[in-house]
Amino acid sequence: MKRNDVKIIIGVLIVAGVFYLFNQYRISKMDVNKLYVEIKVEGELYERVKLSDEKEIKIERDDSYNIIKVHDNGVEMLEANCPDHVCVRTGFINKVGSTIVCLPHKVYVEIVGDVEDGLDAISE
């Protein structure tokens, strides 16, 4: 590598670091009352819960079930009877855009910002 290559790589890393830190700062300043957990089953909205609430949701369809718990400004999949349990092993999520997916049961859990006038918590 030449000397200019190293300078370019360092410059790109610094710019990427600044963008990352700025994004983390904006996320930390978000109002938790404007954040929601959206639960979708087969692509249809099943339930929308405020992230600041505490609630346990059981989704039962045919012979499948998923138990989702919203607590401590986050959400986790407590239990599921799917064969691989990837959704349960995902663990606790609490950041906007984070997801938990149970493919066998077609359950999708995502943390989203409040949508008002086309703005969500990220774009405000």
Side-chain angles (χ1 to χ4, degrees):
M1 272 210 272
K2 295 181 182 175
R3 189 174 205 168
N4 285 337
D5 292 342
V6 173
K7 288 180 183 178
I8 291 172
I9 291 171
I10 290 172
V12 168
L13 289 175
I14 289 172
V15 169
V18 168
F19 279 115
Y20 175 78
L21 291 175
F22 178 71
N23 192 39
Q24 291 302 317
Y25 173 75
R26 290 189 65 208
I27 289 172
S28 71
K29 294 296 180 186
M30 282 186 208
D31 183 8
V32 75
N33 292 320
K34 292 184 178 182
L35 300 180
Y36 292 86
V37 175
E38 283 190 351
I39 301 168
K40 295 181 181 177
V41 179
E42 290 192 8
E44 299 292 322
L45 185 63
Y46 182 83
E47 192 163 345
R48 187 173 191 204
V49 181
K50 270 192 167 188
L51 194 63
S52 57
D53 291 348
E54 278 203 28
K55 187 171 186 179
E56 192 168 294
I57 301 151
K58 185 167 186 176
I59 301 170
E60 293 183 284
R61 297 177 337 133
D62 301 329
D63 58 348
S64 67
Y65 72 91
N66 295 73
I67 300 174
I68 300 162
K69 185 170 184 180
V70 179
H71 64 99
D72 300 327
N73 297 325
V75 63
E76 65 182 320
M77 184 86 64
L78 292 180
E79 194 177 327
N81 68 342
C82 56
D84 56 7
H85 296 286
V86 171
C87 54
V88 176
R89 286 184 276 146
T90 300
F92 184 79
I93 60 172
N94 60 0
K95 292 190 174 20
V96 174
S98 299
T99 59
I100 300 172
V101 180
C102 182
L103 286 177
H105 297 165
K106 298 177 184 166
V107 175
Y108 182 80
V109 180
E110 182 179 21
I111 298 177
V112 297
D114 188 21
V115 178
E116 292 178 3
D117 301 326
L119 297 177
D120 63 9
I122 295 288
S123 61
E124 284 183 336

